[in-house]
Amino acid sequence: MIGALWNGMSGISTYDKAISVESNNVSNVNTVGHKLDNITFEDMLYKSGYGKGVGTQSIDKQFTQGNIKPTNVNLDVAIEGDGFFVVSQRTNGDIFYTRAGDFQQAEDGLLETQDHMKVLGLTPQNRTVISSDVADNIFSNEFSKNLASIDVNSNKTVYNINARATDYYTSAVDDTENGNNYKTASSKINDVEMMISDYVEKLKLFQSNPDAQSLSSTTQSSQVNFSSQLTQLVDENDYLSVTINNSLIRQNFDTDIETTLKKLSDKISNIQGLTSNVDFNSGVLNIQGMVPGKEFNLVDATVNNEFVNVTKVQNAILGSGLSMVESSRNALKTAIENAGAKFLEISNILAYGDNSVIGGNEINLRLNALGLVQDVKGDISISDDGFVYVSNNNNDFLVGKIDTAGFKNVQGLSAAGGNNYSVTKESGVAFNANDLNKVIPNSLENANVNFGNTLSTLLIYQKAFEANSKSITTSDDFIKTAIDMIK
């Protein structure tokens, strides 16, 4: 009788714990990234052929995948697959792991969790700056013209390239020296626009084949030798002409031979993407393409009706790989500077191929703190591979990459509250889990609690609790009866 009483008491104690476990699951059904608690039972010591009640065998977390729910919030991110986000305490630097990806930007600009832990990952390891002025290494408000913003991913390394220029529309002025690559302000602007298009095109070409052999581009150079026929230039009825890209450029005699040659050279030089200069002593006109890899068709050079010699001095070669992009960038930089403006390109380089390490750097979302843009405002986004970008003035700046960590025995992790877990001896050390999962942006992982199953289990535990209570009262009645018999 006493044994039955104690068995019932063990049942009440055990199922009280079980009800607490399931009620905790129910209360966290809408908690982001919450993982179901599961309790198991074991029978107690047997003696004389019958057991001594029930006990709690274990209370474990079930790390099954929760449903992914789109939120359209730019800092929400979910893990599909195995792994945890890595976070750290601000006060003491202690490391924790979580599945809750409802991140936010802290007052100091860092990416953090809702309980103000810093989100850790990789940040760009290198930066290159190409500028017209060595003093310019950050995009100030002066650089108002967006030129390009693109990522090139090669061998697990991202090259995040952003380029801007100052306002070449207002800075461009007419040249003063005729016959020597003379350009008007409008033709300089047209050249810049052409060079921007070429630069973007070359970046996209490099992006599509980042592992191509690196070969520099060249521009076409051609000459027209008028020397043998210049004596024909006597009055305004005489002329010089060339045909470039099926367009006839003609200059009638004006004042003297030198002036006539200069004016023809100036007309050619003001064609978009070309420059021209003339050697008055030799009568040779030099025509240079500005766009690397782009040919122009020069034919039918004449003095009046007499053809003169046309020579292609250098062919335009497209090139390939990084050197092709650098050739295009340098040509654009020269065109912008010729228009009286300044060029600035900043490239952040982030290597993420070493899976033997987990990124442990804090991710700062303030562009001014990172030395990228003076304006601190920007729109934040996270890509489906965990890369974090801050957008400003049509430039997308790569500021970091969220890493994930895995464990050989996730059941060994210790729940620390706040959806966080800490490492134990049983869990083993953390390893890089980026290849075991996919990061889903603008989404959150729901709790993996099945509401119907949990309510059903609660009812079962309730009935078990009541049954054990009944066994206690029954045992108590037996004891009372026995005492009464003794009396």
Side-chain angles (χ1 to χ4, degrees), residues 351-373:
Y352 62 97
D354 187 358
N355 286 338
S356 65
V357 298
I358 305 171
N361 298 328
E362 58 191 34
I363 300 174
N364 200 317
L365 305 176
R366 285 190 176 175
L367 296 176
N368 63 335
L370 296 170
L372 292 169
V373 184

Side-chain angles (χ1 to χ4, degrees), residues 34-35 64-68 79 99 444-449:
H34 174 74
K35 294 305 174 185
T64 56
Q65 179 71 50
N67 292 329
I68 305 296
I79 296 176
R99 295 280 294 196
L444 291 175
E445 182 186 10
N446 290 335
N448 63 346
V449 177

